[in-house]
Amino acid sequence: MAKKDLNEDVLSGASISEEGKGKAEKKAKKAPGKKNKKGISKKAAKTIKSVVACVLVVALLVAYVATGTVRKGFIHSTLGLTTGITAVTVTDKDGNKTNVPVSVFNYYFAMLYNNMKSTQSQYEQYGLDLASMNLDVDFEKSLSSQTTTNDNDETVTWLEYLYEETLETIKDTYMYYNEAVKANGGEEPAITEEQQAELDDTISQYKESANGYGFTVSGYFVQVFGKGVTEKVFRQEAVRSYIAQNYKEQLSTETTETEHTAEELEAYKSEHTADLESVCIRIFEAASEDEAKEFYASLNSDGSNFTELCVNYASTDFDKEYYAADGASTKLYATRANLQNGGYAIATSSTDEESGESTSEGLDWLFSTDRANGDSYQYSTSVVYVIAPVDVYDVETVNVRHILISPITDSEDTTSATDASAEQWATALETAQSLLDEFNAGEGTEDDFSILAAENSTDTGSSTNGGLYEDVYPGQMVDTFNTWCFEDGRKTGDTSIVQSQYGYHVMYYVGQTGTLAWEKTAGDALASAASTSAVDALSESYTVAFNWFGKFYIEKDTDIDH
């Protein structure tokens, strides 16, 4: 089969779900930081155009098998040159050098190239504007004949841009890998059993694909990743990427577990009060601004009919049932970030083109010290009723267990619980109630609940831990879950059933942790800053540079039939 046929045949297997579309659109539109001329932030544009973090390289391995994103045109034909010639050199602070051969450079170049092409393909299917995302490269033309903007706002060719990103990826991966080896007494650390199994499974999938096209697995790797990228090279770099990933996570864990003094936390609070302030509100997002105005006009001054109006103006059968519970429209101790991440219109911000400062009229009103209990406001499609005005509240984080029972659907087209039928939701509620009844019929201990969660919960993130979530802070969980946890008077051993867009949650309240939510937020921020500082210092101690001779043998313009 011709290389072009291979490329088109494998690419045709990709599928896009509405859930994936939503995530991609949110990722593309959510752009913190300075915006470039095309309307998207530099940070977001970098994320969209390529994936440079070493921790993501391994995660992409299986994705390439699944989506079949392969390249079809390669420059060099002499395999020996690609394995014997140094493409780039990574140097640490002590002057120790790691020579990276052309074959390894080609591996990382292909990873970035394939990811960029796959991302563009998905965004095209979503109908998104590629130009506005700095992803308007034409893969049917020479990369060296097209330009883009790099992270320094310089105009470069797309080929030069990919070279820059490949260098950074190699530097990051080998930086963490080399430090991991040093920390392990000069020996390469072992990867986890799960990582080894994932790698073996990936290789197995590639072998299956290779056999289907009449290739050896190494021959198939050359077709997909470039000359010199044999199975040996693939395994080697995958292992090194895993090791780099593990060491980076270790560094992050060490900084996260650092204890901060009360003085450090108070100092952070003084400097970042706006980030720690929160409000307690009822909030509803209408389908249109006209409906929001009607909702607001009908709202009683004491907010007593807020839930009733939510049900009336809900746009789907699921939402009407969901909003029948007060907790669905209640946000206890919501921060500015909670509302921004929730996509509420009231949190919409605008950026001054001259100063670059971001402001939000809606949040300015809500978080004003002029607010009082009972104030209400309609902004665009959002309607808000204030339960408690802005403050840095001394609310503690909590430990809680739950059993999630998601409705079982019988259609391949159903991608989320909200698509389930009323009958399927009713069945899920019956299951949840039977589990709560079983628990209440026994001794009612936390251990009993833990066993039920492990055996029945569909929440893979907590079922193996008996349904336990520790140090839960306001806004961390979905609204109904969050409201139940932080309601006044909640006490250890309380149980209930709440509904969310994921299903029914059988709840068990373990208790408060003794840690104030704002202290946890401050501690996490300080740890993140320390981690970033440590990474920046490590990154500055390493350099990466092309070998002038080896650069002649690396991959150049790709996906062009030669």
Side-chain angles (χ1 to χ4, degrees):
M1 180 178 288
K3 202 178 297 182
K4 181 177 180 181
D5 296 333
L6 169 65
N7 187 58
E8 294 176 347
D9 181 61
V10 182
L11 274 174
S12 66
S15 62
I16 306 298
S17 69
E18 284 300 308
E19 181 180 4
K21 175 180 178 181
K23 290 180 180 178
E25 289 174 330
K26 184 175 181 181
K27 176 182 177 183
K29 294 176 181 177
K30 195 173 179 181
K34 182 179 178 182
K35 292 189 175 182
N36 61 28
K37 294 179 180 179
K38 293 187 178 180
I40 193 166
S41 73
K42 183 188 299 183
K43 180 178 179 181
K46 180 181 178 71
T47 302
I48 289 169
K49 286 197 286 189
S50 63
V51 175
V52 298
C54 67
V55 297
L56 294 179
V57 172
V58 174
L60 291 169
L61 301 183
V62 177
Y64 290 142
V65 178
T67 63
T69 304
V70 299
R71 308 183 317 164
K72 65 187 180 186
F74 302 96
I75 299 293
H76 305 298
S77 59
T78 308
L79 183 62
L81 291 178
T82 66
T83 57
I85 294 178
T86 296
V88 299
T89 299
V90 179
T91 307
D92 68 11
K93 63 180 180 179
D94 298 320
N96 300 311
K97 299 181 182 299
T98 301
N99 292 324
V100 178
V102 169
S103 55
V104 173
F105 180 92
N106 288 347
Y107 166 84
Y108 288 100
F109 181 90
M111 282 287 187
L112 293 169
Y113 179 95
N114 287 344
N115 180 66
M116 184 172 67
K117 187 173 183 181
S118 176
T119 300
Q120 186 198 69
S121 176
Q122 292 180 24
Y123 283 10
E124 283 180 324
Q125 294 184 58
Y126 301 155
L128 303 179
D129 180 18
L130 299 178
S132 68
M133 300 173 189
N134 256 1
L135 198 58
D136 51 342
V137 56
D138 186 345
F139 288 104
E140 295 304 316
K141 296 181 180 179
S142 168
L143 295 178
S144 58
S145 67
Q146 306 171 71
T147 59
T148 185
T149 304
N150 66 11
D151 299 326
N152 296 320
D153 291 327
E154 300 170 335
T155 298
V156 296
T157 68
W158 273 100
L159 183 61
E160 290 171 331
Y161 177 83
L162 274 175
Y163 281 170
E164 291 175 4
E165 298 303 302
T166 303
L167 285 176
E168 285 301 307
T169 302
I170 291 173
K171 174 189 170 183
D172 285 350
T173 302
Y174 275 78
M175 175 179 75
Y176 288 115
Y177 170 77
N178 288 344
E179 292 299 311
V181 172
K182 292 178 186 178
N184 197 47
E187 298 292 329
E188 184 177 88
I191 61 177
T192 68
E193 292 182 1
E194 292 79 8
Q195 289 170 335
Q196 186 62 58
E198 182 180 48
L199 176 56
D200 290 340
D201 182 59
T202 300
I203 297 291
S204 177
Q205 292 183 59
Y206 269 119
K207 286 182 177 179
E208 183 177 344
S209 296
N211 292 335
Y213 291 108
F215 287 106
T216 63
V217 67
S218 290
Y220 188 72
F221 281 144
V222 168
Q223 297 296 315
V224 176
F225 295 105
K227 293 300 182 183
V229 187
T230 61
E231 179 181 355
K232 179 181 179 181
V233 171
F234 186 95
R235 282 186 179 275
Q236 170 187 285
E237 295 310 310
V239 169
R240 289 178 177 178
S241 293
Y242 276 127
I243 292 171
Q245 171 188 343
N246 296 342
Y247 186 75
K248 184 175 183 179
E249 291 178 350
Q250 177 185 331
L251 291 180
S252 177
T253 299
E254 290 174 356
T255 55
T256 300
E257 293 177 349
T258 300
E259 294 288 337
H260 296 96
T261 65
E263 291 75 15
E264 289 174 326
L265 296 175
E266 285 291 345
Y268 182 91
K269 179 181 180 182
S270 298
E271 295 175 9
H272 302 87
T273 301
D275 296 330
L276 302 176
E277 290 176 331
S278 63
V279 293
C280 296
I281 59 175
R282 301 290 301 277
I283 186 168
F284 180 77
E285 196 70 20
S288 68
E289 187 167 352
D290 286 341
E291 288 194 0
K293 290 179 179 179
E294 293 174 4
F295 185 115
Y296 183 66
S298 302
L299 182 62
N300 294 338
S301 60
D302 62 358
S304 57
N305 63 336
F306 201 95
T307 297
E308 177 187 342
L309 291 172
C310 287
V311 174
N312 290 342
Y313 284 93
S315 57
T316 68
D317 290 341
F318 168 78
D319 285 342
K320 289 183 180 299
E321 178 183 356
Y322 175 66
Y323 277 112
D326 292 346
S329 57
T330 302
K331 283 189 174 293
L332 299 181
Y333 312 108
T335 64
R336 290 174 176 84
N338 293 153
L339 296 170
Q340 289 168 339
N341 293 336
Y344 293 98
I346 195 172
T348 301
S349 62
S350 58
T351 303
D352 184 273
E353 293 186 1
E354 294 185 2
S355 67
E357 294 183 357
S358 179
T359 59
S360 172
E361 179 183 336
L363 292 184
D364 288 345
W365 178 89
L366 183 56
F367 284 83
S368 168
T369 54
D370 294 334
R371 295 284 68 75
N373 296 0
D375 284 355
S376 59
Y377 186 52
Q378 177 262 319
Y379 181 88
S380 183
T381 53
S382 296
V383 181
V384 173
Y385 181 87
V386 178
I387 301 173
V390 62
D391 200 353
V392 179
Y393 288 94
D394 285 341
V395 56
E396 294 183 21
T397 61
V398 303
N399 294 339
V400 62
R401 293 182 187 271
H402 84 130
I403 304 170
L404 175 62
I405 303 300
S406 298
I408 299 175
T409 60
D410 53 9
S411 171
E412 294 181 356
D413 296 329
T414 300
T415 58
S416 69
T418 57
D419 296 325
S421 67
E423 292 77 13
Q424 290 163 342
W425 274 102
T427 300
L429 178 57
E430 289 177 5
T431 301
Q433 186 62 57
S434 67
L435 288 171
L436 182 56
D437 291 343
E438 180 181 348
F439 172 75
N440 289 331
E443 297 181 7
T445 68
E446 183 181 348
D447 286 342
D448 291 340
F449 193 94
S450 175
I451 294 172
L452 284 176
E455 294 176 345
N456 297 280
S457 182
T458 57
D459 175 20
T460 56
S462 68
S463 60
T464 57
N465 195 30
L468 178 65
Y469 281 105
E470 297 180 291
D471 287 314
V472 175
Y473 53 86
Q476 179 180 351
M477 301 300 189
V478 292
D479 291 340
T480 46
F481 193 119
N482 181 78
T483 301
W484 188 87
C485 289
F486 293 99
E487 281 182 337
D488 289 340
R490 183 67 60 220
K491 60 183 183 297
T492 298
D494 281 356
T495 59
S496 187
I497 297 175
V498 300
Q499 183 185 22
S500 78
Q501 58 266 47
Y502 301 105
Y504 287 103
H505 305 258
V506 184
M507 309 291 295
Y508 180 92
Y509 188 74
V510 179
Q512 295 178 324
T513 65
T515 300
L516 297 179
W518 76 260
E519 290 179 336
K520 175 173 173 53
T521 300
D524 289 347
L526 290 171
S528 178
S531 178
T532 299
S533 178
V535 168
D536 288 345
L538 182 60
S539 183
E540 290 174 3
S541 71
Y542 271 76
T543 60
V544 62
F546 271 117
N547 175 284
W548 72 269
F549 182 70
K551 192 173 181 179
F552 287 107
Y553 294 92
I554 61 177
E555 291 292 347
K556 294 183 170 57
D557 289 327
T558 56
D559 262 12
I560 306 297
D561 292 324
H562 298 285

